[in-house]
Amino acid sequence: MTEPTHDEAHGGGALAERLNWLRAAVLGANDGIVSTAGLVVGVAGATDDRSALLTAGLAGLLAGSMSMAAGEYVSVSTQRDSEKAALAVEKRELREQPEAELEELTELLQARGLSRDVAMEAAEQLTARDALRAHARVELGIDPDQLTNPWHAAWASFLSFTVGALLPLLAIVLPPTDWRLAVTVVSSLAALVLTGWSSARLGAADPVRAALRNVVGGALAMGVTYAAGTLLGAAGV
C-alpha cells in the first residue's frame, strides 16, 4: 500500500527537477539574447564597422557565458554541499537515536494523510529497507542518488547562454550594412517571444504575458544601448 505512494512522489520529484533544468536552460538562452543584442545594437549605434561589431559581440558572448557558468557552478556547489551536510546529520541521528528518527518518520507520513497505524507500518518498512534514503526523501526532499551536479549546471548555463547569444551576434555581422540593425532587432525580439512563451509554459503561467514582458524588456535594453551608442558615436568617443 505504501509503495505506490513512494514511487509516485519520487517520480514527481524527478519530473519537477527535469522541468527546472529545462526552464533554467530557456532562461539562460534568454539572457544570452538580451545581453548580446543590447551590446551589439549599442555598438552599432556608434559604428557600422563589421570588425568592431564582431569583436564586441564575441567579447560579450564569451564574458556572459563564462560568467553564467561560473555563477551556476558556485551556486550549485553550495547547494550540493548543503545537501551532503544535511545527509551527514541525518545519518548521524539515525545511528545515535534510531527510535526518535522512526517516530519522526512516522509523524511525517501522518502529516501526509496516513493514519497512525499505517504510517507506523510504512515507516518501519522504509527504515528496514533503507533508513537514510527514506528520511532523505520524506524529511529533506533529497534523493541521495541524484544530488545536484555543479559541472552539469555550469555546462548547461554556458551552452544555453551561448546558443542565445549567437543569434544577435550573427544577425549583426552577416546581413548587409543597411539591414544589420533591423535584422538584429526583429530576430532578437522574435526569439524573446519564443523563450518567454516557453518559460511560461514550463512554469504553467500565462504565455502571452510572459512573451510580452520579454519583448518589452529586450526592446528597452536595445533601445537604451542604441541611444547611448549613437550619442557616443556623434560625440566622437
Side-chain angles (χ1 to χ4, degrees):
M1 180 175 181
T2 58
E3 287 301 317
T5 302
H6 174 70
D7 291 342
E8 185 176 328
H10 175 56
L15 177 60
E17 184 177 356
R18 287 194 295 271
L19 288 175
N20 285 335
W21 279 103
L22 185 55
R23 190 179 301 117
V26 171
L27 294 176
N30 188 82
D31 288 343
I33 295 167
V34 174
S35 61
T36 307
L39 177 62
V40 297
V41 166
V43 175
T47 179
D48 60 1
D49 182 70
R50 190 187 302 269
S51 296
L53 293 170
L54 179 60
T55 300
L58 280 175
L61 184 154
L62 292 174
S65 59
M66 293 300 294
S67 175
M68 288 282 290
E72 196 69 14
Y73 179 83
V74 171
S75 174
V76 175
S77 293
T78 301
Q79 179 183 343
R80 185 182 178 90
D81 290 343
S82 299
E83 291 173 344
K84 284 185 172 181
L87 289 173
V89 170
E90 200 63 41
K91 187 175 183 179
R92 186 184 70 247
E93 291 177 345
L94 285 167
R95 183 177 64 252
E96 295 176 353
Q97 44 189 14
E99 295 83 3
E101 288 298 296
L102 178 61
E103 176 61 24
E104 181 182 35
L105 183 57
T106 300
E107 292 176 354
L108 288 170
L109 292 173
Q110 275 188 274
R112 295 190 175 190
L114 299 181
S115 67
R116 171 72 185 182
D117 291 340
V118 174
M120 174 64 78
E121 180 183 354
E124 290 174 348
Q125 291 182 13
L126 291 172
T127 299
R129 177 177 298 177
D130 192 326
L132 180 59
R133 179 173 281 102
H135 279 266
R137 290 177 174 174
V138 177
E139 180 181 350
L140 304 176
I142 297 174
D143 187 342
D145 299 324
Q146 296 183 7
L147 296 182
T148 52
N149 189 313
W151 285 109
H152 290 171
W155 277 111
S157 293
F158 179 89
L159 291 174
S160 62
F161 186 96
T162 299
V163 169
L166 279 173
L167 174 66
L169 174 59
L170 295 176
I172 202 70
V173 298
L174 293 182
T177 302
D178 294 340
W179 288 88
R180 286 175 187 168
L181 187 60
V183 170
T184 302
V185 171
V186 171
S187 60
S188 296
L189 293 180
L192 290 174
V193 170
L194 179 60
T195 56
W197 183 89
S198 300
S199 61
R201 295 293 294 176
L202 290 170
D206 182 0
V208 175
R209 180 178 300 177
L212 180 61
R213 194 163 47 223
N214 243 19
V215 168
V216 171
L220 181 61
M222 288 186 284
V224 169
T225 56
Y226 182 74
T230 302
L231 290 174
L232 290 173
V237 177

